[in-house]
Amino acid sequence: IKKKPDIEKKINSILFISTKNELAKFNKEEKIIFDQLYKFCIKKNLKLSICTKNNLYHERIYRQNLVKGDWSYIPYVDMKKTYELINGSQMVVFTNSTLGIEAMTKKIKGVAFPEKLFPSESYAKIFPSEGPFWFCNFVDHNRKGTLEENMEYIMEKVMNYTKIEWEQIVEAYISDMVEYNEGNLKLIKLAQKYNLPLKTN
């Protein structure tokens, strides 16, 4: 019996991971990226949500600062809820976010728009300013094309990767930054080795 090939699931929703929580100084970089991402989602008929570090009462501030439109605001409740949200996402977009990198280790497609360096300035290894799923200095780009054209270029490139292509990209790049270890088994074994206490949950 021939094994049926994996059916590529069509992406119909995108989650933007906001890393900023200083609402008094709303981040210019994130605003430009989010606003441009919203235009892309409207054009492609995709649902857009924003995952924040702030609670429900701060939605008004996000609505006032970001593009007006039909996008969803997702407040922070706790890390368990945040991980459930990430695990259920089809695709994530972010600037500098370990949460975004973690999503990719789970084979969730993602695009990174770091403000300066990828994955961040604190990371030891140096990566080029543009890669298979990231684009540094998106706002002050040197690449030919408008913000709209560059957004569409990187988004469609990642969305069009096959499952196999994406897994290979994750293996080549993300596994060098962080490794997904389901259930934290490696940490548990290490703690048991040194008789360190662990919470049951």
Side-chain angles (χ1 to χ4, degrees):
I1 301 173
K2 290 184 178 180
K3 184 180 178 181
K4 292 183 179 179
D6 290 335
I7 299 174
E8 300 288 339
K9 292 183 179 180
K10 183 180 179 182
I11 293 174
N12 53 40
S13 63
I14 292 173
L15 178 69
F16 181 81
I17 302 173
S18 174
T19 60
K20 309 301 179 183
N21 54 10
E22 296 180 17
L23 295 176
K25 298 178 181 179
F26 210 88
N27 186 263
K28 173 190 173 184
E29 187 88 11
E30 277 202 359
K31 172 178 168 52
I32 293 174
I33 292 169
F34 183 85
D35 289 2
Q36 198 60 56
L37 180 62
Y38 178 71
K39 293 178 183 178
F40 173 81
C41 288
I42 289 295
K43 184 176 180 179
K44 301 296 180 179
N45 195 29
L46 303 170
K47 294 179 181 178
L48 177 61
S49 301
I50 181 170
C51 170
T52 74
K53 290 186 174 181
N54 294 285
N55 61 37
L56 182 63
Y57 300 102
H58 291 117
E59 179 175 359
R60 176 178 56 84
I61 299 175
Y62 281 82
R63 295 285 178 188
Q64 288 175 344
N65 284 274
L66 298 177
V67 62
K68 304 295 185 290
D70 185 21
W71 48 267
S72 299
Y73 172 86
I74 303 176
Y76 177 81
V77 177
D78 54 42
M79 283 309 299
K80 181 181 178 182
K81 291 289 185 183
T82 299
Y83 278 117
E84 288 175 353
L85 174 67
I86 294 297
N87 293 341
S89 299
Q90 294 182 314
M91 184 172 182
V92 297
V93 176
F94 55 95
T95 52
N96 296 99
S97 168
T98 53
L99 192 61
I101 298 296
E102 287 180 51
M104 293 186 190
T105 66
K106 301 174 184 180
K107 305 302 188 293
I108 297 169
K109 286 187 176 181
V111 172
F113 292 106
E115 294 182 34
K116 294 181 180 179
L117 298 174
F118 176 81
S120 70
E121 292 180 83
S122 61
Y123 197 71
K125 186 174 180 178
I126 298 175
F127 287 83
S129 61
E130 187 178 332
F133 60 86
W134 73 86
F135 193 154
C136 297
N137 303 311
F138 179 75
V139 175
D140 300 313
H141 62 87
N142 293 318
R143 193 176 186 279
K144 292 182 179 179
T146 64
L147 285 175
E148 182 177 357
E149 290 169 341
N150 289 336
M151 173 68 74
E152 191 162 328
Y153 165 76
I154 188 69
M155 291 297 295
E156 289 196 337
K157 181 167 75 169
V158 173
M159 291 175 73
N160 289 330
Y161 286 138
T162 65
K163 181 180 178 181
I164 294 175
E165 286 174 333
W166 183 247
E167 288 178 353
Q168 291 173 340
I169 289 170
V170 169
E171 181 64 29
Y173 293 94
I174 301 300
S175 59
D176 191 39
M177 303 171 203
V178 62
E179 182 179 351
Y180 178 54
N181 179 228
E182 188 172 357
N184 280 326
L185 295 180
K186 291 182 179 180
L187 176 62
I188 292 172
K189 288 181 179 179
L190 188 63
Q192 290 172 340
K193 180 180 178 180
Y194 294 100
N195 296 315
L196 298 174
L198 287 170
K199 291 183 179 180
T200 55
N201 60 350

